[in-house]
């Protein structure tokens, strides 16, 4: 997939199989967002066997099979849910349908892996928490802007090693290309996509919790707006928020749909991390006007300045860790509590956001 196309951005990484073929079987369904391709790549590289794909839209299935021709087509979702060999179901449904689908999957005895955002309302989140408690199954969310970016993975390793001391501040930028004419109808309906802070803002808040080691935070203030899309009034094309974690670390982030046509990728995603003993900048997808490659990390400490070019160097350990967590019922890839807290905070940021353009 072309890097200019954010909807279908599907990173490929190192092969790092943690299981033998056939030892971890996955069903794929709800092909409403192109992120399902990146999710599939990560699973296959970690050794998962994609046994089935199902979607009621035959065209979506045909497009999926162009990338993954060896996957069998199921006749129904029930065929996937009733197959005792299936351990995980991965899906990229319309956002407001993701929670209900996950609840159904978990009640059928499978773990669930959904594109972000996993929820569009706090009520959905609370219901799914109950289903997880009842079933003992896992509700995984694909926070790709950390999990599927080698620079972001490496930043976490540097922080864990203590290279920049205690993290006290994170600043995130998540601009995206709109490609308005290519988007499905649901993309422009707030009830269905959830709002910009609930949607692409979920990536940002998850990163803040992870990099700062926080298990909780408060949303101090948040804003949304529609600056430049009057024909689709329910689309929020801009959003920002400020949070403070329980350990005192702070967070500022901005997300928008204003990536210019001339940028060589779908969005100049960046993260700035300030520690007591150093700083990190991640240029995730491009080094503007310098290099078309992504995964650049800049580290500054008392020892000097370092530039790491990380594409193809780090890999994506999350997927293998997730598979092993599903098999062993451990929580090494990411805790369920962390996932639910990141989602809760982005939903709260969305719910209390000031609309800054409604009276302009």
């Amino acid at each position: 997939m072309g890097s200019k196309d954010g909807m279908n951005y599907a990173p490929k990484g190192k092969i790092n199989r943690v299981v033998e073929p056939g030892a971890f079987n996955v069903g794929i369904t709800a092909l409403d967002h192109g992120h399902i391709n990146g999710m599939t790549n990560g699973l296959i590289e970690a050794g998962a066997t994609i046994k089935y794909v199902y979607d009621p839209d035959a065209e979506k299935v045909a497009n999926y099979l162009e990338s993954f021709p060896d996957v069998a087509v199921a006749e129904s979702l029930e065929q996937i849910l009733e197959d005792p060999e299936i351990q995980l179901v991965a899906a990229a449904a319309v956002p407001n349908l993701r929670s209900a689908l996950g609840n159904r999957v978990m009640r059928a005895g499978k773990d669930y892996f959904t594109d972000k955002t996993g929820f569009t309302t706090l009520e959905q989140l609370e219901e799914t928490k109950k289903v997880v408690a009842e079933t003992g199954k896992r509700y995984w969310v694909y926070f790709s802007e950390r999990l599927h970016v080698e620079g972001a993975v490496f930043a976490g390793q540097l922080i864990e090693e203590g290279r920049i001391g205690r993290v006290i501040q994170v600043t995130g930028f998540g601009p995206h290309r709109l490609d308005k004419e290519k988007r499905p109808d649901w993309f422009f309906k707030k009830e269905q996509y959830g709002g910009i802070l609930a949607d692409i803002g979920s990536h940002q808040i998850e990163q803040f919790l992870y990099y700062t080691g926080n298990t909780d935070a408060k949303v101090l203030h948040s804003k949304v707006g529609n600056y430049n899309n009057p024909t689709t009034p329910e689309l929020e094309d801009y959003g920002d928020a400020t949070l403070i974690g329980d350990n005192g670390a702070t967070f500022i982030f901005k997300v928008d749909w204003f990536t210019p046509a001339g940028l060589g990728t779908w969005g100049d995603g960046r993260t700035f991390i300030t520690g007591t003993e150093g700083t990190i900048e991640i240029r995730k997808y491009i080094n503007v006007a310098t290099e078309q490659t992504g995964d650049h990390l800049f580290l500054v400490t008392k020892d000097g300045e370092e530039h790491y070019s990380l594409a193809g160097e780090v890999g994506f350990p999350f997927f293998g860790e997730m598979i092993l967590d599903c098999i062993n019922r451990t929580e090494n890839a990411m805790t369920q509590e962390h996932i639910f807290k990141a989602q809760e905070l982005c939903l709260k940021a969305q719910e209390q956001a000031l609309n800054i353009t409604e009276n302009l």
Side-chain angles (χ1 to χ4, degrees), residues 11 25 99 106 122 129 156 165 172 186 194 204 222 230 240 267 269 273-274:
N25 295 289
S99 175
M106 292 185 291
L122 288 163
K129 283 182 177 179
W186 61 259
Q204 298 291 324
S222 54
D240 64 41
I273 305 169
T274 300

Side-chain angles (χ1 to χ4, degrees), residues 35 115-116 142-146 176 197-208:
H35 283 168
D115 189 17
K116 64 79 221 150
Y142 179 54
F143 296 113
S144 58
E145 290 184 28
R146 181 175 70 83
H176 289 58
L197 299 178
D199 180 21
I200 53 179
S202 62
H203 288 296
Q204 298 291 324
I205 290 175
E206 189 278 329
Q207 288 173 91
F208 166 65

